[in-house]
Amino acid sequence: MESPLIDLKDISYSYEQTKALDHISLTVREGDFLAIIGPNGSGKSTLLKIMLGLLKPTSGTVELFGVDSKQFKQREWIGYVSQKSNSFNSGFPATVEEVVIGGLAKKAGLFKRIPRDAKKLANDALTSVGMAAFAKRRISELSGGQQQRVFIARALVARPKVLILDEPTVGIDHENVQAFYNMLAHLNHDHDITMILVTHDMGSVSDRITHVACLNQTIHFHGFKEKFETMSDEQLEAWHGHSVRKIHHNGGDSQHA
Ligand SMILES: Nc1ncnc2c1ncn2[C@@H]1O[C@H](COP(=O)(O)OP(=O)(O)OP(=O)(O)O)[C@@H](O)[C@H]1O
Ligand SMILES: [Mg+2]
């Protein structure tokens, strides 16, 4: 069997005062569409930053594409859109196209030149998220959902094999959330991009994903979505501390936040 794309073994992580992750092991394989879910402060964003090498684990190992994270060079294979990346103030002058071309810097390296076909690459990436018509608009003039798509295009322009998204649907209204998840499913199916998504939105995304990880400092469950759907109320409560069936059925857990 091929190496997993991301393999976390026995990861713990503490901020100065706070233990955020406690002995986490998690494997992501090519083609997976993984939703990471858990209450506020359960360590979801921290876990993504460990995968990305933005934080060094206190203990445990991270392998990326079969290579120890410290030796891993192909950072452009892993695209990332952070939580709250779409908060431009109205004065931000860059155009959509410029923002997307900025995503090539990672691939080109800081001091190498941006490729001559950058505009075409940016346009291809914008097309795949349905935003090509907005290329010349100012990013600050777009809606939150449109900005989020542009950020995904910025991550896609470097042709990643894995896309890691931290709560990308915050600020997107209910009607547009479905279309947004359809777009992610299209990238997963048709562009062979492995997806890792932090979400509070299981009701809307559950048709699209293959795997679920339930996090609350430790991993309470990781496996196929179908298996997650058979978890008992007791198991879910042990993880989340609330009756979380509602997350599942009405697509939001704001009542638990
Ligand atoms: N930079 C930081 N310094 C200190 N503590 C932090 C820092 N970032 C996060 N924490 C703490 O670590 C824990 C995990 O935070 P994290 O941001 O990973 O949670 P999360 O699951 O992403 O939450 P949310 O759903 O609110 O985004 C929390 O207790 C948080 O207060
Ligand atoms: Mg977070």
Side-chain angles (χ1 to χ4, degrees):
M1 197 185 253
E2 280 188 40
S3 312
L5 303 197
I6 296 178
D7 200 6
L8 307 182
K9 291 197 185 104
D10 211 20
I11 295 289
S12 296
Y13 186 81
S14 294
Y15 295 100
E16 274 174 27
Q17 307 290 331
T18 318
K19 180 155 214 175
L21 299 174
D22 190 14
H23 296 289
I24 304 273
S25 293
L26 182 71
T27 301
V28 181
R29 295 191 175 279
E30 189 171 359
D32 286 1
F33 191 152
L34 169 67
I36 299 175
I37 57 178
N40 292 129
S42 58
K44 303 181 298 296
S45 296
T46 304
L47 185 65
L48 299 189
K49 288 173 191 162
I50 296 274
M51 291 178 179
L52 289 154
L54 299 174
L55 295 175
K56 303 274 169 266
T58 316
S59 63
T61 59
V62 181
E63 281 192 8
L64 304 172
F65 295 82
V67 177
D68 187 283
S69 175
K70 295 184 209 81
Q71 265 82 53
F72 183 73
K73 298 279 186 286
Q74 275 78 27
R75 293 282 159 195
E76 75 275 11
W77 287 357
I78 306 180
Y80 171 54
V81 181
S82 66
Q83 196 169 358
K84 303 193 192 80
S85 54
N86 61 337
S87 46
F88 282 99
N89 63 41
S90 55
F92 196 81
T95 65
V96 164
E97 185 176 67
E98 287 163 353
V99 168
V100 175
I101 287 174
L104 285 166
K106 189 170 170 188
K107 194 174 179 113
L110 215 46
F111 302 105
K112 293 188 196 145
R113 265 189 293 148
I114 296 290
R116 236 189 291 168
D117 58 348
K119 285 192 178 189
K120 173 166 188 321
L121 295 174
N123 191 62
D124 290 348
L126 284 167
T127 300
S128 62
V129 299
M131 289 294 290
F134 294 80
K136 302 294 179 195
R137 294 268 295 271
R138 278 184 185 218
I139 181 88
S140 56
E141 292 167 359
L142 268 47
S143 74
Q146 291 167 338
Q147 288 184 359
Q148 200 56 265
R149 285 176 181 248
V150 172
F151 269 90
I152 290 176
R154 179 187 165 94
L156 286 174
V157 74
R159 301 282 168 98
K161 297 173 194 292
V162 185
L163 196 54
I164 297 183
L165 306 174
D166 197 347
E167 298 198 36
T169 57
V170 170
I172 304 183
D173 62 56
H174 198 68
E175 285 89 78
N176 288 312
V177 161
Q178 275 309 337
F180 184 83
Y181 285 137
N182 288 345
M183 177 201 79
L184 296 185
H186 161 72
L187 294 173
N188 178 240
H189 277 149
D190 304 330
H191 294 252
D192 298 320
I193 296 176
T194 302
M195 289 280 172
I196 302 172
L197 170 80
V198 166
T199 182
H200 288 279
D201 216 12
M202 273 298 280
S204 305
V205 79
S206 62
D207 289 348
R208 306 281 166 223
I209 58 179
T210 60
H211 290 73
V212 179
C214 302
L215 187 65
N216 204 350
Q217 275 191 25
T218 62
I219 295 274
H220 287 246
F221 169 86
H222 173 232
F224 283 109
K225 171 186 69 178
E226 292 76 12
K227 182 105 185 287
F228 169 74
E229 286 168 350
T230 66
M231 273 170 83
S232 68
D233 285 344
E234 290 73 27
Q235 287 170 309
L236 291 172
E237 277 190 48
W239 153 57
H240 204 286
H242 298 280
S243 171
V244 291
R245 278 287 167 211
K246 287 187 188 122
I247 291 186
H248 214 44
H249 293 302
N250 70 11
D253 72 344
S254 53
Q255 68 269 47
H256 300 300

